[in-house]
């Protein structure tokens, strides 16, 4: 529904004329309403119209949603379908069509049709090369195989210029993207030539070891919707060689930090973040307070108990403090906007417990007085800093339990929550750098503004700190 259709329905349901609606909303004449209905109003006028409507009329929840949708349609126009798909990607709203049935090619070996999860349920080890499969509904089964611990998936993705197709692919792989055994990579191609044959197909090559220790290789070609054809290889490795891919042909989309356990590793890790954030516009979706909003002296005090027992961490502390102070200063002093969306219930949980959703493993919980300082400083920044924007989600079930950070001009970083910044336990990140995906992502923050809530939380916390 566009804004013209919304106004028409509103006038009809309320029994109003253009002139009467203009008078109710405080406009001098009905011309303003007529311009809105003819889609001739700019963004500022449209936002002002929406504000007057919500202030002067008691809109039902259905009318309010319709108004928001109409404004979105006006703002984004041809980008709206892509923006809606990205919103679905952020919320985990993915359709789950039936898994395709698999059948062997040779009649003499034909068995009853099976699904992926049925065929490989008893395999002792699986090494899977997945090519494309943007729209093949196999990812729930692959996730189950990954979580059983005996599967490794290397996913080769042919770059697509179609934004919707790219978004759809990331929606489907999002749940397994941060699993340790999954590695996505983009295939490097010459745009003038492109890829044909196998690398433009939807295929899966499986090298498996059964319980008896024997190895075999299969290639599954997803040749039509809902169906895959299985070809058996004569020797393990034959189908892999058909791909003719080397590491030089691929760009990894994921970083994993297995084996990076020392404080020096962590210092290098947060230095990369400091470089990404430096004087750059940032859009962030996460449950609650992030570590780079914590004043350096509060962070140091929270680490103090562990420093006494960990000489290695104590030795690295000056460097960690220097990097953290740089990030904290950049957050609030840079002349580039940052937009953050938090969950209201998660912020309350932080206020009550002193622990964030990804609280650093070596830190004690923040004390009530420290929590008051943190939230009060956020409120002060909201009142005085024109570059710092913070919003809260009222509906706390809209987002996956992940952190999404869009670095302007670089990419969208996805990190699992509750990882506690512990690089020694499989911390992983995905960076999406598709240009059109990033452009549409900027318009997708599902925020409802509630800037005063940080201040209300801080004031309530004061009673705990006395």
């Amino acid at each position: 529904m566009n804004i013209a259709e919304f106004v028409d329905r509103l006038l009809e349901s309320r029994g109003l004329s253009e002139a009467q609606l203009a008078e109710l909303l405080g406009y001098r004449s009905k011309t303003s309403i007529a311009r809105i209905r003819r889609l001739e109003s700019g963004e500022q006028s449209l936002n002002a119209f929406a504000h007057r409507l919500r202030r002067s009329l008691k809109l039902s929840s259905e009318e309010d949603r319709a108004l928001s949708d109409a404004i979105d349609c006006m703002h984004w126009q041809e980008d709206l379908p892509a923006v809606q798909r990205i919103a679905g990607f952020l919320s985990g709203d993915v359709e789950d069509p039936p898994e395709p049935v698999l059948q062997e090619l040779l009649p003499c070996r034909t068995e009853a049709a099976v699904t992926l999860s049925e065929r490989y349920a008893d395999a002792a080890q699986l090494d899977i090369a997945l090519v494309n499969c943007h729209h093949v509904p196999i990812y729930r089964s692959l996730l189950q195989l990954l979580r059983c611990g005996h599967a490794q998936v290397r996913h080769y993705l042919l770059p697509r210029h179609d934004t919707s197709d790219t978004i759809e692919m990331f929606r489907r792989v999002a749940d397994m993207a941060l699993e340790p055994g999954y590695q996505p990579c983009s295939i490097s191609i010459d745009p003038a030539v492109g890829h044909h044959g196998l690398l433009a197909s939807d295929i899966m090559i499986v090298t498996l070891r059964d319980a008896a220790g024997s190895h075999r290789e299969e290639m599954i070609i997803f040749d039509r919707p809902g169906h895959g054809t299985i070809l058996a290889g004569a020797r393990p490795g034959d189908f892999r060689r058909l791909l003719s891919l080397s590491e030089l042909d691929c760009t990894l989309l994921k970083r994993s930090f297995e084996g990076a356990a020392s404080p020096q590793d962590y210092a290098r890790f947060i230095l990369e973040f400091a470089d990404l954030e430096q004087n750059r516009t940032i859009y962030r979706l996460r449950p609650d307070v992030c570590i780079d909003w914590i004043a350096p002296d509060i962070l140091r005090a929270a680490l103090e108990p562990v420093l006494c027992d960990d000489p290695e961490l104590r030795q690295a502390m000056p460097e960690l403090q220097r990097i953290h102070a740089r990030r904290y200063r950049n957050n609030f002093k840079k002349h580039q906007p940052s937009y953050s969306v938090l969950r209201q219930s998660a912020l309350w949980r932080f206020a009550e417990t002193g622990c964030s959703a990804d609280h650093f493993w070596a830190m004690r919980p923040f004390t009530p007085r420290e929590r008051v300082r943190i939230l009060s400083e956020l409120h002060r920044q909201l009142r005085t800093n024109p570059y710092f924007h913070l919003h809260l989600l009222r509906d706390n079930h809209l987002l996956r339990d992940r952190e999404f950070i869009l670095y302007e001009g670089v990419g969208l970083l996805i990190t699992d929550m509750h990882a506690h910044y512990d690089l020694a336990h499989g911390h992983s990140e995905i960076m999406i750098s598709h240009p059109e995906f990033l452009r549409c992502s900027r318009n997708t923050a599902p925020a409802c503004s509630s800037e005063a809530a940080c201040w209300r939380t801080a004031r309530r916390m004061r009673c705990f700190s006395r």
Side-chain angles (χ1 to χ4, degrees), residues 2 45 48 55 105 124 137 169 231 285 358 374 452 456:
N2 63 31
S45 298
R55 184 187 61 193
L105 181 65
M169 185 272 294
L231 288 78
L285 301 175
D358 52 355
I374 293 165
R456 290 199 301 270

Side-chain angles (χ1 to χ4, degrees), residues 53-114:
L53 264 181
R54 289 176 169 129
R55 184 187 61 193
S56 303
L57 298 179
K58 290 185 177 179
L59 298 181
S60 67
S61 58
E62 184 178 344
E63 288 174 331
D64 193 73
R65 280 195 302 272
L67 175 60
S68 297
D69 289 345
I71 292 173
D72 288 346
C73 185
M74 185 75 173
H75 284 174
W76 299 323
Q77 298 176 12
E78 69 275 7
D79 284 340
L80 183 59
V83 168
Q84 288 173 331
R85 287 189 179 93
I86 291 177
F89 160 69
L90 297 175
S91 67
D93 177 23
V94 181
E95 293 181 9
D96 193 27
E99 186 177 345
V101 296
L102 311 178
Q103 289 183 307
E104 295 207 34
L105 181 65
L106 299 176
C108 61
R109 297 181 60 186
T110 299
E111 302 171 358
V114 295

